[in-house]
Amino acid sequence: MTIMTKFFNRITMLVAGSVFIMGTVGAQVAFGPVTGDAKKGMQLYYDYGCYGCHGYNGIGRQNLANDVSGIMFNETVFLTYLRAREDQNPLFPTQSMPNYAAASLSDNDAKNIYAYIRTFRDEPPEVEDIPALKAILDAAENN
Amino acid sequence: MTKKSEQEKGGISRRAFIGSSAAAGAATILPKGPAAAAQAAPSGGTPVSLPPTPQQMAREVGDARPPTTFRAAQRPGSDLIVQVLRDLEIEFVASNPGSSFEGLQESIINYGEIPNVMPEFISALHEESAVDMAHGYAKSEGKPICALIQGTIGLQHASMAIYQAYHGLAPMVILVGRDDKHFLQAHTADDVAGVVRSFTKWDAHPQTLEEALVAIQEAYRQAITPPCAPTVVILDTEVQKEEAGDLEIPPYRPPVIPTITAAQADEIASGLLAAKNPHIAVGRMRTPAGPKKAVELAELTGASVTTSATRMPMSFPQTHPLTGKGADSAHDYVLGLETSGAQASLNGPHLRTLDGRDLTGINFGGIRPPVRPSQNVPGENDLVADAEASLPLLVDAVKRRMNESKRETVSQRTVQHGKANRDARVVALRKALEKKREGWDASPISLARIYAELAPMIKDLDWCLPSPTIFSGRHHEELWDHDKPYSHFGGHPAAALGFGIGASTGAALAARDRNRIVINIQTDGDLNYTPGSLWTAAHHKLPMLTVMHNNRAWHMELMYVQYMTGVRGRGHDRAHIGTTLRDPFIDYAKMAEGYGMKSEGPIKDPNKLAAALARGIESVKNGEPYLIDVITQPR
Ligand SMILES: Cc1ncc(C[n+]2csc(CCOP(=O)(O)OP(=O)(O)O)c2C)c(N)n1
Ligand SMILES: [Mg+2]
């Protein structure tokens, strides 16, 4: 990421406003209602490439599962965030969060995506209960 | 050159020879030398009868002994070329066949007591693959093998891989056949090596057999002299086929590699021994001898060590007790070995640009750009000397200064460092494992899970991970123990794709007779440039396990295009066009099967992964390469 895009991302955060602060409290805050259709959202999450950086199940370069994102606080914040990066015009390719313009991803579709993301749960077993991970740990501890 | 002018010159074209020998039967002998040329058909193509041979003459005058077995070529020049390669201990010649080197190819497969060994002819399906194999071999063994390439056209196929090897400091000798008399003019150039000269270190076009032997030795010497890089020798077909007579192979002189002076060695040794808490930072050395000597130095001094073993070959073992920050991270003397250090660092010589030249420019042609443009520019305390070659001097200097009390200090420090480093490793690992378990049960399968499931299976095996892992999360860095000079090769040195499978095949060539296995974590986009190496691995029975990181995309590009749609505010649902491998999906298990490699998949269910990996490892241990197609999370 270039210094310029980092700078712009900061501005985006400020546009998203109070959300930035909520991001730090995350799961403890009561999240807003879901009005979209998660089923439709599933296809849209794929078609609009969200899976590309957030994983098919919300675990990826940037995790979304388990309500970890303050941006997911409510639909309004989420929509604001999606639209908030339109003036970014990087000279170099970037894998940062793209802007999603309303002209190409409608509010309705975005709300469906929102509904789908809210269903993401990742509850992997504990390290001790995963044989491969436990074996790795044991080997290091007995070294 | 047209067929007509060949005949005017009295030569025999390849095709004319094939035609006439078919007509005259198997006994036809290709006439050789000016006398024979004078006998050849002048223009009309009517064969002229040849004069009797000495054998026929002898029989004519009553000597009725059966003729001795007749060989048209008694001591072909290419036999001597093979002997030179054998003397240099070149294990393999990776090649896609071409009619500019059938002489040399025939010698490789037939010359000597045990033919086709040292070097062994390895069949590559693409010249790029042949060079990538040489690159992979060089990264694991720190020494060259050869790629044998058809002139001009084959070399153009090979060129990108050579460019990548140049950036990767990979020593290799590229032999290029050239035939400008009896073959297609389009395959011949006056300056064959010109097409790759900007990114090779040295090239030659010898005119005689003797020159050719010397040139190959020099190409080898140049390739292994730091900065290591590919070198090229153009071998005319005549030189390969020429009678060697009693020509002797000239002696090979190994290169003299610049080291620090004895005085500098003494100064560094006293710095290391006088320090309360010395530290050594190790980058990439040239050959496995480098890390071995670095271990000796660290153990003699009890210095803690920073390794680069998870990012490049030929570095310090990752789980050596001295690897880590040690008991106290305030180091009062730091020595860098092929890496920048505070007090002293030994950085091998580098090819440099002219003053004022833009380091980021590629500027093909003219002067060769530096092997590594922006890295390792020597700093204030850097000694421009090869670390590996200097280490024996340093070790000796330390030994000379050693006494009982110093030995005692070193031994205490070693115990303290060992405990601290081990504890730190476990803490870091626990933290890492918390991240790795995320998405453990997800389908498509998480990349961390692939590396994690493999870890206990390869723990007690001698393994090598040649594939670049930047796209698959580099999870091996924390989960696998990089303790060998060849544990991991790092990224694609020129960020050029199509590298993983070829480099892994080359590493598997090195592994085959060394009881080692190769794990190739293979992205799908990368495989599709040169999948033919799958056949090479199957054909030569190479111990290579390929695990597909199949995200059905050139995913990096998908992310970039997705971002660009955002910048332009349009078509956010169209970024998959030209960036994904869908409609239809590619079936990699079938692809492998088609090339004759055992395979399974596609696997989507994470609970089926471990058993498949275990089957793959078992197969590879038995010398049967194996491919597992795994449908993965994108990254
Ligand atoms: C020879 C070459 N061509 C094109 C590129 C541009 N490029 C960079 S990454 C990439 C996609 C790689 O796809 P894959 O190997 O499947 O890895 P993924 O990004 O999907 O993880 C491409 C095409 C390149 N680096 N090298
Ligand atoms: Mg891919």
Side-chain angles (χ1 to χ4, degrees), chain A residues 5 9 46-53 55-57 59-61 63 85-86 88-90 93-105 122-128 130-137 139-143, chain B residues 319 422 425-426 429-430 433-444 451-453 455-456 459 478-479 481 551 553 555-556 558-560 562-567 569-576 580 582 585 632-635:
Chain A
T5 50
N9 281 345
Y46 181 68
D47 290 346
Y48 283 76
C50 313
Y51 79 97
C53 307
Y56 288 91
N57 323 73
I59 299 291
R61 283 165 39 82
N63 288 354
R85 296 156 176 254
E86 62 197 351
Q88 292 182 39
N89 191 5
T94 167
Q95 302 169 10
S96 313
M97 174 69 192
N99 181 60
Y100 282 91
S104 178
L105 176 64
D122 182 47
E123 283 150 1
E126 295 298 322
V127 169
E128 311 286 331
I130 298 176
L133 297 188
K134 175 137 194 336
I136 295 169
L137 190 57
E141 280 178 337
N142 298 330
N143 211 350
Chain B
T319 68
R422 184 206 153 277
R425 209 169 286 140
V426 171
L429 182 61
R430 277 186 176 281
L433 293 179
E434 278 307 315
K435 278 301 279 180
K436 306 297 175 199
R437 79 186 175 99
E438 285 180 357
W440 187 258
D441 291 319
S443 171
Y451 287 95
E453 296 281 17
K459 174 103 188 127
E478 303 107 322
L479 302 180
D481 299 339
N551 56 18
H555 193 77
M556 185 166 114
L558 169 58
M559 291 189 286
Y560 287 162
Q562 191 74 59
Y563 192 89
M564 195 46 64
T565 69
V567 171
R570 61 188 179 192
H572 305 319
D573 54 345
R574 295 164 62 76
H576 63 91
T580 50
R582 315 176 174 157
F585 292 136
T632 63
Q633 293 286 331
R635 283 293 168 91

Side-chain angles (χ1 to χ4, degrees), chain B residues 33-44:
Chain B
Q39 298 288 334
S43 65

Side-chain angles (χ1 to χ4, degrees), chain B residues 490-572:
Chain B
H492 329 68
L497 288 174
F499 177 66
I501 184 66
S504 295
T505 305
L509 283 169
R512 190 186 61 186
D513 298 325
R514 292 177 170 87
N515 205 19
R516 187 188 303 163
I517 66 164
V518 163
I519 310 283
N520 171 32
I521 307 288
Q522 178 65 59
T523 60
D524 50 343
D526 186 87
L527 178 65
N528 281 297
Y529 293 90
T530 47
S533 289
L534 294 171
W535 182 85
T536 299
H539 179 70
H540 291 285
K541 301 217 173 304
L542 305 184
M544 175 174 77
L545 173 63
T546 295
V547 182
M548 291 304 297
H549 163 200
N550 183 3
N551 56 18
R552 295 171 163 169
W554 296 281
H555 193 77
M556 185 166 114
E557 307 303 339
L558 169 58
M559 291 189 286
Y560 287 162
V561 174
Q562 191 74 59
Y563 192 89
M564 195 46 64
T565 69
V567 171
R568 310 263 165 96
R570 61 188 179 192
H572 305 319

